[in-house]
Amino acid sequence: MAECGASGSGSSGDSLDKSITLPPDEIFRNLENAKRFAIDIGGSLTKLAYYSTVQHKVARVRSFDYSGKDTEQDHEPPYEVSVQEEVTARLHFVKFENTYIEACLDFIKDHLVSTETKVIQATGGGAYRFKDLIEEKLQLRVDKEDVMTCLIKGCNFVLKNIPHEAFVYQKDSDPEFRFQTNHPNIFPYLLVNIGSGVSIVKVETEDRFEWIGGSSIGGGTFWGLGALLTKTKKFDELLHLASKGQHRNVDMLVQDIYGGAHQTLGLGGSLIASSFGKSAMADREFSKEDMAKSLLHMISNDIGQLACLYARLHALDRVYFGGFFIRGHPVTMRTITYSINFFSKGEVQALFLRHEGYLGAIGAFLKGAEQDNPNQYSWGENYAGSSGLMSSSPELCPTQRARSGTFDLLEMDRLERPLVNLPLLLDPSSYVPDTVDLTDDAPARKYWLTCFEEALDGVVKRAVASQPGSADAAERAEKFRQKYWGKLQTLRHQPFAYGTLTVRSLLDTREHCLNEFNFPDPYSKVKQKENGVALKCFPRVIRCLDALGWEERQLALVKGLLAGNVFDWGAKAVSDVLESDPQFGFEEAKMKLQERPWLVDSYSKWLQRLKGPPHKCALIFADNSGIDVILGVFPFVRELLSRGTEVILACNSGPALNDVTYCESLIVAERIAAMDPVVHSALREERLLLTQTGSSSPCLDLSRLDKGLAVLVRERGADLVVIEGMGRAVHTNYHAALRCESLKLAVIKNSWLAERLGGRLFSVIFKYEVPAE
């Protein structure tokens, strides 16, 4: 008997002090299950970290015993589906203003059930100031951790576990944030931490870093001199003044000294020759805004030049900036970016971090949890429980900005198995999974956000239908609707909130929100039924294929793969057909396909390759359950096996839409093996291996795959990768370059996308690629 599952999680909360504006179940979630705490207290912000266990609903699939039954005549489903409970681990990070610290500690004290430790790791200057208060309220002993060690540990953690963590700031772009793809090897890098002063640290490995320089002129200097010049005592107000100022009214520029002759020096006339240079000569008052802007430029330029010199001295091209001086303020990031670009002549980039404010708290937590070895796991950001990056631009989403000024949240879910790069990527450092960046492409962004909004009613209906025995399913589904709708509105205003906005991230956010309200697998019953129907058709399909001549069979197999890929409940054009016409099947899907030549058509090249020697091992990423995997993928697999090619069939670890999961594939393969000797012997002899991808997404990120899959690929010497489906082969990986032959195939089941690609609904992508010698 095979038994596997997919999960969804819930959250909890009660009431907080009335001075706190957000509902507590959106702040201190799963607090009753908290096991360990850490805290980072700065001059104005507190960052609390805690580890909790989360109760999940899990959709389990388990095969029946079919011995002695005629399965073709059997009308029972091929396996049973049940919902059970499971417990997994989650990291919570909450950022709030220090004015709320006592109210928050009181709430935690009142709702904390038990912890695994009597110690709370603390870092930041405020940890001394609030030490007695924390110990009194939480009855936990405060252990002070080194600030720099915590920052480095936190920085390493986010760079390894959050793909779109680092970004560059471009002031004239819309939006202004440009996210970077994480290099598979994050080391070495330079961390410039701008607090009261400036610390510059060279980070070489997980545990080896060195303080190499710094300056006493930092955020404290800006704050202190700014207060003297403007009488403004609050740091954020000072930055607000600077954002409205004109520094050239106070600063002496190159053109003020040299006039038109500055061009002969190779200098731009608008360059600052002397900060505050005009103030000594002008007999007038300067505005607070202009003085604040001049001061900000002076300090940012100094820090930028210093960072650039150290980066060049140590031959480093990755420089990350953090500290309270940054705090996501565009005017600060803009001036530092300009300074770095100017002094390095564009050779060094100023990089900022989406979760920069959490680095100390993350590092303090990791220090306290070393006995659990948290770095042996991979972690993933839970979009349902995270606030996302907020812009400080006044015109952008004032409601969200006001909320983020009070509380900001980050949640990370522990993945049960580590994730690594696919070894067959040509260049992991330049690999970008997603085909279209919706952050850049405004028409595509508008279309897809509207598309996901319009699909929401159908998703809610499907979620409720998946749990007919649940009394509160409709209520939970409505909460899901509200949460996901809210996320979509945030992304309309701030498309950079969770990194680069893509179709993949919109799909993943929806899955996270479904899990949050205990809908772990809304399509479980649909998949169960469709797998049962397809299994009954399998022997007939194989008989028809085996009756064909070799060349005719190859085309029939490919058309079968494509026809199977039509059965995608995530595509509205298909789900409308499937709901209105229950008789729509495999043969009807073939009729929908575009006639050759296809929109992208490398079939002749593929056929010619098949006339050569067999591949050693094929890695196939499957897409949908039912007809797709059973009548499309498995006959194709069977043909490869007959040629002498080993096959690794990789399926999702967890559910997404009607995609086949690893657990379901085990049962399907077992049933097919009972009907087909080719598949039966291949499974027995381990020439056909079923494995999981480590993903629970309708798309595919080849840089975050299950480590066990990567090991298999190396051991078996895979020399062909087959990626099928619109999510895996078009929305992602269409441009992915591999070190071996690849086959990317899909049916375009979205009219807007088909038109954009120059085709029509049900156009075919068949892309066979051979790497250059």
Side-chain angles (χ1 to χ4, degrees):
M1 261 192 178
E3 180 169 340
C4 290
S7 61
S9 65
S11 59
S12 65
D14 290 291
S15 60
L16 252 180
D17 186 281
K18 290 181 181 177
S19 64
I20 296 173
T21 56
L22 285 181
D25 61 350
E26 293 184 37
I27 303 173
F28 300 106
R29 291 148 48 89
N30 302 305
L31 187 61
E32 71 277 13
N33 299 318
K35 306 299 181 189
R36 186 176 288 117
F37 286 88
I39 197 164
D40 174 16
I41 309 176
S44 60
L45 291 175
T46 295
K47 286 79 69 177
L48 180 72
Y50 61 97
Y51 161 91
S52 76
T53 53
V54 183
Q55 198 82 5
H56 288 263
K57 293 287 186 187
V58 180
R60 297 278 187 194
V61 297
R62 189 173 64 171
S63 60
F64 293 120
D65 181 6
Y66 278 97
S67 58
K69 289 188 180 181
D70 182 351
T71 55
E72 281 202 56
Q73 299 303 315
D74 185 18
H75 294 290
E76 290 184 40
Y79 52 82
E80 64 176 326
V81 179
S82 62
V83 176
Q84 300 173 17
E85 297 283 345
E86 188 176 80
V87 175
T88 55
R90 179 174 290 174
L91 289 178
H92 302 257
F93 303 95
V94 185
K95 180 166 64 179
F96 51 88
E97 295 166 13
N98 286 355
T99 50
Y100 293 114
I101 190 167
E102 189 161 0
C104 289
L105 291 174
D106 280 335
F107 180 83
I108 294 167
K109 177 188 70 174
D110 292 342
H111 294 81
L112 194 60
V113 176
S114 64
T115 62
E116 291 179 349
T117 177
K118 294 301 178 185
V119 175
I120 180 169
Q121 262 62 37
T123 189
Y128 290 108
R129 177 183 164 198
F130 291 101
K131 177 178 180 291
D132 292 342
L133 180 67
I134 295 167
E135 291 187 336
E136 175 198 337
K137 296 287 186 184
L138 300 186
Q139 298 297 301
L140 297 174
R141 190 183 79 252
V142 171
D143 268 8
K144 188 77 170 65
E145 298 289 351
D146 175 67
V147 171
M148 195 54 64
T149 301
C150 291
L151 282 172
I152 301 300
K153 279 189 171 292
C155 191
N156 293 343
F157 181 87
V158 296
L159 288 174
K160 283 191 305 182
N161 288 287
I162 302 178
H164 292 152
E165 176 61 29
F167 63 91
V168 296
Y169 184 86
Q170 297 176 348
K171 69 169 183 174
D172 297 322
S173 298
D174 181 24
E176 62 267 41
F177 302 101
R178 286 290 175 271
F179 289 89
Q180 308 293 294
T181 301
N182 283 0
H183 196 285
N185 183 9
I186 64 171
F187 306 109
Y189 65 85
L190 204 66
L191 179 63
V192 180
N193 190 59
I194 313 169
S196 299
V198 180
S199 292
I200 300 177
V201 183
K202 178 183 179 182
V203 184
E204 296 182 276
T205 68
E206 193 72 52
D207 300 306
R208 192 166 78 244
F209 59 88
E210 176 188 7
W211 185 90
I212 57 174
S215 171
S216 61
I217 300 171
T221 314
F222 173 69
W223 200 348
L225 283 177
L228 291 172
L229 290 167
T230 69
K231 309 305 178 190
T232 301
K233 296 294 185 183
K234 292 191 174 180
F235 187 83
D236 287 339
E237 286 179 15
L238 199 56
L239 278 172
H240 185 65
L241 286 176
S243 69
K244 294 181 172 181
Q246 292 292 329
H247 75 95
R248 62 184 60 224
N249 294 335
V250 181
D251 294 340
M252 188 175 290
L253 308 182
V254 167
Q255 64 190 20
D256 295 327
I257 298 175
Y258 295 103
H262 66 82
Q263 293 177 339
T264 62
L265 300 173
L267 296 172
S270 61
L271 284 176
I272 299 171
S274 174
S275 295
F276 289 92
K278 289 179 180 174
S279 60
M281 304 175 187
D283 187 21
R284 63 183 176 86
E285 292 290 319
F286 293 95
S287 74
K288 293 180 179 181
E289 290 82 359
D290 291 349
M291 289 190 291
K293 187 63 166 281
S294 175
L295 182 62
L296 181 66
H297 275 285
M298 181 181 80
I299 291 170
S300 297
N301 284 334
D302 182 62
I303 294 169
Q305 183 175 29
L306 197 61
C308 179
L309 290 171
Y310 275 108
R312 285 186 157 181
L313 183 64
H314 292 269
L316 298 171
D317 58 2
R318 279 176 283 177
V319 183
Y320 298 103
F321 287 86
F324 87 86
F325 185 65
I326 307 292
R327 280 174 58 179
H329 286 281
V331 66
T332 311
M333 293 188 289
R334 185 161 63 240
T335 51
I336 286 177
T337 298
Y338 177 83
S339 175
I340 284 281
N341 285 341
F342 176 78
F343 289 114
S344 74
K345 296 183 170 59
E347 291 177 9
V348 178
Q349 266 193 329
L351 293 164
F352 304 94
L353 299 171
R354 189 154 66 91
H355 298 104
E356 178 275 323
Y358 293 111
L359 301 188
I362 293 171
F365 174 83
L366 293 173
K367 282 285 289 179
E370 283 178 342
Q371 68 269 32
D372 296 335
N373 196 11
N375 280 321
Q376 72 178 321
Y377 301 101
S378 290
W379 299 77
E381 182 176 6
N382 176 20
Y383 297 142
S386 298
S387 306
L389 182 67
M390 300 295 170
S391 171
S392 298
S393 300
E395 70 276 9
L396 283 179
C397 203
T399 306
Q400 288 287 351
R401 197 176 64 255
R403 283 183 54 181
S404 70
T406 306
F407 285 90
D408 189 75
L409 312 172
L410 167 65
E411 291 185 357
M412 302 284 288
D413 286 329
R414 192 179 79 187
L415 309 176
E416 292 312 307
R417 296 158 71 93
L419 303 180
V420 298
N421 281 303
L422 177 68
L424 297 172
L425 282 173
L426 183 64
D427 179 14
S429 64
S430 64
Y431 167 70
V432 177
D434 303 285
T435 306
V436 177
D437 181 349
L438 302 182
T439 322
D440 277 337
D441 192 331
R445 179 169 74 243
K446 183 179 179 183
Y447 170 78
W448 285 111
L449 284 167
T450 302
C451 187
F452 278 88
E453 286 173 356
E454 291 175 349
L456 195 47
D457 283 346
V459 178
V460 169
K461 180 182 171 185
R462 179 65 56 191
V464 174
S466 71
Q467 298 181 3
S470 173
D472 67 343
E475 181 186 347
R476 286 184 287 112
E478 183 55 35
K479 287 180 179 177
F480 153 74
R481 181 208 300 276
Q482 292 170 9
K483 183 143 205 172
Y484 188 55
W485 177 267
K487 295 288 181 185
L488 291 174
Q489 302 325 299
T490 295
L491 291 167
R492 277 197 184 276
H493 292 288
Q494 306 196 122
F496 46 78
Y498 297 103
T500 301
L501 182 64
T502 63
V503 173
R504 174 168 63 105
S505 66
L506 288 171
L507 286 163
D508 290 349
T509 303
R510 187 168 69 185
E511 294 299 322
H512 291 184
C513 291
L514 281 166
N515 279 327
E516 196 62 37
F517 294 101
N518 281 324
F519 294 106
D521 193 356
Y523 289 84
S524 58
K525 301 290 186 185
V526 174
K527 291 186 291 180
Q528 180 192 42
K529 180 182 175 183
E530 291 186 347
N531 283 332
V533 170
L535 282 167
K536 292 178 179 64
C537 299
F538 181 80
R540 177 179 56 79
V541 169
I542 293 300
R543 283 196 299 271
C544 292
L545 287 167
D546 286 349
L548 299 174
W550 182 85
E551 195 157 319
E552 195 180 358
R553 186 167 70 250
Q554 303 316 307
L555 182 58
L557 284 162
V558 165
K559 284 186 174 179
L561 267 174
L562 294 166
N565 194 243
V566 168
F567 292 84
D568 181 357
W569 280 88
K572 190 175 186 302
V574 176
S575 61
D576 287 350
V577 171
L578 295 176
E579 286 180 339
S580 62
D581 182 7
Q583 301 306 311
F584 186 85
F586 194 42
E587 297 305 318
E588 288 78 8
K590 288 180 185 176
M591 300 296 292
K592 289 275 188 185
L593 296 178
Q594 174 191 15
E595 293 293 327
R596 291 195 67 202
W598 296 321
L599 183 61
V600 176
D601 196 334
S602 309
Y603 177 73
S604 298
K605 188 177 169 187
W606 168 248
L607 183 66
Q608 196 60 37
R609 171 63 185 86
L610 289 178
K611 293 176 181 176
H615 296 90
K616 186 177 190 303
C617 178
L619 168 62
I620 301 178
F621 291 98
D623 189 5
N624 306 304
S625 279
I627 288 176
D628 191 0
V629 70
I630 294 167
L631 304 185
V633 173
F634 263 98
F636 185 77
V637 166
R638 184 176 177 272
E639 184 74 12
L640 289 174
L641 292 167
S642 299
R643 281 172 55 81
T645 300
E646 293 183 346
V647 176
I648 301 168
L649 183 60
C651 302
N652 267 9
S653 297
L657 296 171
N658 66 313
D659 292 3
V660 62
T661 65
Y662 167 67
C663 301
E664 291 158 352
S665 74
L666 293 175
I667 297 171
V668 164
E670 176 188 319
R671 294 291 307 279
I672 289 175
M675 296 184 272
D676 186 82
V678 176
V679 173
H680 182 272
S681 63
L683 283 171
R684 190 183 66 243
E685 296 162 10
E686 296 188 347
R687 290 183 291 109
L688 171 58
L689 299 158
L690 276 61
T691 188
Q692 53 187 309
T693 62
S695 169
S696 299
S697 170
C699 297
L700 181 63
D701 182 353
L702 297 175
S703 68
R704 284 174 68 81
L705 291 176
D706 187 274
K707 189 175 181 179
L709 170 57
V711 169
L712 266 183
V713 165
R714 283 197 186 94
E715 287 178 350
R716 297 298 172 119
D719 54 357
L720 171 66
V721 174
V722 181
I723 306 175
E724 67 135 354
M726 212 162 75
R728 291 168 179 78
V730 178
H731 290 314
T732 52
N733 298 305
Y734 189 74
H735 301 300
L738 301 176
R739 291 194 287 108
C740 68
E741 296 171 49
S742 64
L743 200 52
K744 300 167 188 174
L745 61 159
V747 177
I748 306 302
K749 293 149 295 202
N750 177 282
S751 298
W752 181 88
L753 180 59
E755 188 177 329
R756 220 182 201 222
L757 294 172
R760 56 177 177 78
L761 194 63
F762 299 113
S763 287
V764 168
I765 303 288
F766 188 91
K767 192 178 184 186
Y768 170 59
E769 295 174 306
V770 180
E773 290 293 333

